């Protein structure tokens, strides 16, 4: 009876070892995915600041253009 | 013999406990995987939004680049 | 008997290693979870910033759509 239990335990241990190895690999994959995600986030931050900068340039330019436009209208009226 | 039986019982209890811990660990890993996938989707969404935003900025820039020459 | 003792020791060491592995993997999962939470916050931040930026170009687009009529 002890022998049967021992062989059962042996099987279970082998299963656990295999399962743990699988989990370890999955965690390793997750770490890699996280690294990739972090890189993408960095890229988004860069892209975001580029877009903000471009929008700011548009706002500044539009603002000055609008003022010129207004001045001209008044000029034309008088 | 009794000693051996005690030993086998002890192992049983260790195996059982480890088994439970592995099940829990597996659940945690599955949860992390699901969350990771959700974040990856979100990142794709953000990338799409950026492209969209950029596409709407380009005509504005083009229009404005013409302006000073018109005045 | 010596052989059996060696067997018992080997067995014990495997069980011990498994236990250690479980602890190690648990820590690794916790670390991944922490990293993930930080990333989620970052994504929320990016999304909020994005909405703000998107809203800032709406008046620009409206203004520019009026311009050709002014000239």
């Amino acid at each position: 009876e002890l022998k049967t239990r021992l062989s059962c335990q042996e099987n279970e241990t082998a299963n656990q070892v295999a399962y743990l190895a699988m989990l370890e690999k999955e965690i390793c994959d997750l770490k890699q995915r996280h690294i990739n995600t972090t890189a993408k986030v960095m890229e988004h931050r860069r892209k975001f600041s580029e877009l903000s900068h471009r929008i700011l340039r548009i706002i500044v330019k539009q603002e000055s253009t609008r003022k010129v436009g207004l001045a001209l209208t008044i000029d034309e009226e008088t | 013999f009794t000693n051996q039986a005690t030993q086998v019982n002890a192992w049983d209890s260790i195996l059982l406990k480890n088994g439970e811990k592995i099940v829990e660990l597996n659940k945690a890993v599955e949860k992390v995987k699901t969350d990771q996938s959700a974040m990856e989707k979100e990142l794709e969404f953000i990338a799409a939004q950026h492209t969209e935003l950029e596409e709407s900025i380009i005509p504005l820039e083009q229009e404005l680049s013409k302006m000073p020459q018109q005045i």
Side-chain angles (χ1 to χ4, degrees), chain A, chain B:
Chain A
E1 200 237 349
L2 266 180
K3 260 192 180 165
T4 325
R5 280 181 65 187
L6 270 172
S7 97
C8 264
Q9 290 186 337
E10 217 168 308
N11 273 339
E12 181 56 22
T13 305
N15 279 344
Q16 290 189 357
V17 169
Y19 212 88
L20 281 172
M22 189 202 84
L23 283 176
E24 190 172 30
K25 199 196 163 295
E26 286 198 338
I27 293 169
C28 200
D29 288 349
L30 277 168
K31 279 185 184 161
Q32 189 53 50
R33 277 168 79 180
H34 185 80
I35 289 170
N36 295 345
T37 310
T38 307
K40 275 188 189 162
V41 166
M42 297 271 274
E43 168 61 19
H44 287 323
R45 277 178 168 250
R46 195 200 56 75
K47 187 77 195 167
F48 180 83
S49 89
E50 183 212 306
L51 290 175
S52 307
H53 189 72
R54 282 166 70 182
I55 290 174
L56 193 66
R57 269 200 338 235
I58 295 172
I59 292 173
V60 167
K61 210 165 179 187
Q62 196 182 32
E63 196 68 15
S64 58
T65 310
R66 198 162 55 95
K67 276 174 185 156
V68 171
L70 277 175
L72 273 177
T73 321
I74 295 158
D75 244 20
E76 283 165 5
E77 277 177 353
T78 47
Chain B
F1 177 78
T2 329
N3 192 33
Q4 212 186 1
T6 315
Q7 182 73 65
V8 170
N9 280 339
W11 281 337
D12 254 353
S13 117
I14 292 173
L15 277 170
L16 204 69
K17 259 192 201 159
N18 279 357
E20 280 165 10
K21 282 179 193 162
I22 290 173
V23 169
E24 250 169 64
L25 191 62
N26 189 44
K27 272 186 202 157
V29 169
E30 283 307 315
K31 169 91 171 67
V32 171
K33 264 160 81 179
T34 314
D35 290 350
Q36 178 68 32
S37 299
M39 280 203 294
E40 279 161 14
K41 275 210 183 103
E42 197 159 335
L43 272 174
E44 272 171 38
F45 180 69
I46 290 174
Q49 275 189 319
H50 274 164
T51 310
E52 211 178 285
L53 195 59
E54 191 166 29
E55 275 165 9
S56 58
I57 290 176
I58 291 168
L60 293 176
E61 284 173 334
Q62 286 172 342
E63 194 108 4
L64 276 172
S65 73
K66 287 184 235 148
M67 293 243 159
Q69 287 139 27
Q70 286 176 348
I71 296 159

